[in-house]
Structure formats: C-alpha cells, structure tokens
Amino acid sequence: MRTKIVAGNWKMNKTLPEAEALILELKQKIKPDGKVAVIIAPSFVNLPKAVELLKDNPIKVAAQNMHFADSGAYTGEISADMLKAIDIDHVILGHSERRAYFNETDEMLKEKANQAYKKQMTNIFCVGENLEDRQKDHHFEVVGKQLKNALFELPIQAYKKIIIAYEPVWAIGTGETATPEQAQEMHHFIRETLAKKYGRDLADKVRILYGGSVKPNNAKEIFSKPDVDGGLIGGAALKADDFQAIVEAAKS
Ligand code: PGA
C-alpha cells in the first residue's frame, strides 16, 4: 500500500501575513494521518515562517525550486544547503512553469535531481506534456523522455526520496482536468517505465501524484485510480477549505 500524498504548490502567491494566516487555518483544519501525508510549498521568503508555524505539526514544508550548485555566483538563486539550514528537506523540481518560463531543461533538471539526491532531499519531480504533444499523440514519448533524461542515471536508492508528479500542462490552472482515465493511463505508463528501468519492486513503491486543476469536486474520482497516489494542487491549495476537502478525498 502506498500512502497517498497531497501537496499544495502555492506558486507566487501570498505575502508573509497572508501565508501566516493560511497556515494557521490549515493547522486547524487539516489532519494528516496514516492514509495521507500533506505537504505545502510556499514561496522562498515565507519558508522560515512556515517551518516555525508547523514545527510540531505533521504537515511538511517544501520549496518550489532550488539550484543545482552547492553555492556560488548565481544571483537570485537558492541552494540546497540554504533550505536544509532552515529544516526544509522537500523540493519541487521541474514544474512546467519553471520549464516554460525560466527555460529549465532536462539537462538542468538532471543536475538538480542529482543535487537533491546528494543532499538527501525529497524531490517532487514534475513531468507532463503540453497541448500540442497531446494532440499529436506524443504524450507518452514526451513524458518518458523527461523521466529518462533527468532521473535515469540516479541509483535505485535515490527513489526512496523521489515523488513523481504528472501534470499535463494543458490542465494546469486552466480549469480543464485530465479525465481520471487519462490520468490513470499516464500514471500506469510512468510506473511501467520505472519498472523496466529499476524493477517492479521499486516501481510499485514510487508515489505518482496527479496535478492540473484538481478541485474538491473531482479529487476523489482522480485519486481512486489505482496508479494515482494523490495530487499536486495549485489554485485549490490557496483556500484552506478546498485544500482540506482534497486531503479528505485522498483519505477515502
Ligand atoms: P492547478 O496547478 O491546480 O492550479 O492547475 C497545479 C500545479 O501547477 O501544480
């Protein structure tokens, strides 16, 4: 049995006072348990406060990105050690917005995934095709390449700290969700790709989250699919009630 995960990606939202208010509300409303783990990813400037507020709470805190180098002349960037020094050991890597707007390539993401492994951080690694890839029926090929190019040089033990998030770009923030069947089909493909490379045992253990317009009204059906192990939630993670409902959907 794979424990489900619901992770909230706050993207570039919430000032410090707003983040604080949302976290306090989440602490009241959200009770992770043996069936579901909960992660939130506020922006960098709000991370120390998030860690402080969630110190004795099972909700975990993740960063939305990090650099692949240990340190150096990379103005505006954040290193793994900086995150670890404030007790953050989860990071989202390769989100489609990073790939599309900040030109993150598979090559860079390979370096970042290696760095996460080296620094013993949990890597929530995002993959997903865009609309054109899907329309041309290239979606399996695209997602397969994203996985192979960035992750397949890692040793099998690295996967203890890798969570895959499948996020079809055409479903992110658009209100258009992949159908539960489309999600299942791709999650199954991802699991089989992992099985071919690393063996069935490993593939059966890796959690694969779905992301892209997950809302309280569709979460349960998506999460009920056998290869869907929870969700990476954007817009609906910014409202405590919606996020709570999605966490509850993952428990049932
Ligand atoms: P969305 O974003 O839920 O707002 O579509 C998901 C994501 O980008 O992680």
Side-chain angles (χ1 to χ4, degrees), residues 9 11 95 97 167 171-174 211-215 232-235:
N9 174 11
K11 309 191 181 184
H95 190 279
E97 287 149 19
E167 301 204 304
I172 296 178
T174 58
S213 299
V214 177
K215 307 287 177 207
L232 181 56
I233 319 300

Side-chain angles (χ1 to χ4, degrees), residues 23-39:
I23 292 166
L24 292 176
E25 212 184 333
L26 293 175
K27 274 176 79 168
Q28 292 291 319
K29 295 185 169 163
I30 294 198
K31 307 279 170 239
D33 62 12
K35 285 189 188 162
V36 58
V38 178
I39 303 169

Side-chain angles (χ1 to χ4, degrees), residues 61-88:
V61 183
Q64 297 175 17
N65 180 31
M66 71 175 192
H67 199 267
F68 50 76
D70 284 347
S71 63
Y74 299 102
T75 302
E77 291 290 327
I78 302 280
S79 73
D81 286 343
M82 290 174 190
L83 295 172
K84 295 199 78 170
I86 57 164
D87 292 328
I88 303 274

Side-chain angles (χ1 to χ4, degrees), residues 14-239:
K14 304 287 176 192
T15 61
L16 179 58
E18 289 166 353
E20 194 167 345
L22 178 55
I23 292 166
L24 292 176
E25 212 184 333
L26 293 175
K27 274 176 79 168
Q28 292 291 319
K29 295 185 169 163
I30 294 198
K31 307 279 170 239
D33 62 12
K35 285 189 188 162
V36 58
V38 178
I39 303 169
I40 59 166
S43 64
F44 285 129
V45 289
N46 295 333
L47 290 177
K49 182 50 93 180
V51 171
E52 182 194 317
L53 292 173
L54 293 167
K55 198 167 182 298
D56 297 311
N57 190 288
I59 300 175
K60 293 192 176 73
V61 183
Q64 297 175 17
N65 180 31
M66 71 175 192
H67 199 267
F68 50 76
D70 284 347
S71 63
Y74 299 102
T75 302
E77 291 290 327
I78 302 280
S79 73
D81 286 343
M82 290 174 190
L83 295 172
K84 295 199 78 170
I86 57 164
D87 292 328
I88 303 274
D89 59 7
H90 285 60
V91 62
I92 298 172
L93 293 177
H95 190 279
S96 66
E97 287 149 19
R98 300 292 320 166
R99 293 176 189 260
Y101 307 144
F102 304 97
N103 302 319
E104 292 199 5
T105 61
D106 285 353
E107 195 49 43
M108 284 162 73
L109 292 169
K110 180 167 122 185
E111 301 289 321
K112 291 187 180 204
N114 289 347
Q115 181 71 344
Y117 173 54
K118 186 173 114 186
K119 298 291 179 178
Q120 291 287 294
M121 297 183 74
T122 298
N123 167 7
I124 304 168
F125 190 79
C126 304
V127 294
E129 81 285 358
N130 63 31
L131 186 60
E132 202 188 334
D133 301 326
R134 167 93 26 193
Q135 283 167 342
K136 289 189 176 154
D137 218 17
H138 291 164
H139 43 294
F140 293 119
E141 188 189 324
V142 167
V143 168
K145 268 199 190 136
Q146 289 171 339
L147 285 173
K148 284 175 201 155
N149 290 346
L151 300 184
F152 277 17
E153 280 177 27
L154 285 167
I156 193 163
Q157 62 268 26
Y159 286 81
K160 284 195 189 118
K161 288 183 180 287
I162 292 177
I163 298 162
I164 310 276
Y166 168 57
E167 301 204 304
V169 178
W170 47 272
I172 296 178
T174 58
E176 187 165 342
T177 328
T179 63
E181 290 69 33
Q182 284 172 321
Q184 168 57 27
E185 186 185 44
M186 182 60 85
H187 284 226
H188 180 72
F189 168 79
I190 292 170
R191 206 175 295 291
E192 291 312 299
T193 306
L194 289 169
K196 271 185 216 141
K197 169 74 183 168
Y198 292 101
R200 169 67 40 204
D201 197 42
L202 180 279
D204 283 344
K205 288 195 180 112
V206 173
R207 262 82 59 87
I208 307 173
L209 313 184
Y210 171 79
S213 299
V214 177
K215 307 287 177 207
N217 64 1
N218 60 21
K220 195 170 171 180
E221 207 188 340
I222 297 171
F223 296 166
S224 71
K225 293 293 172 191
D227 286 301
V228 178
D229 305 312
L232 181 56
I233 319 300
L238 299 171
K239 292 190 200 113

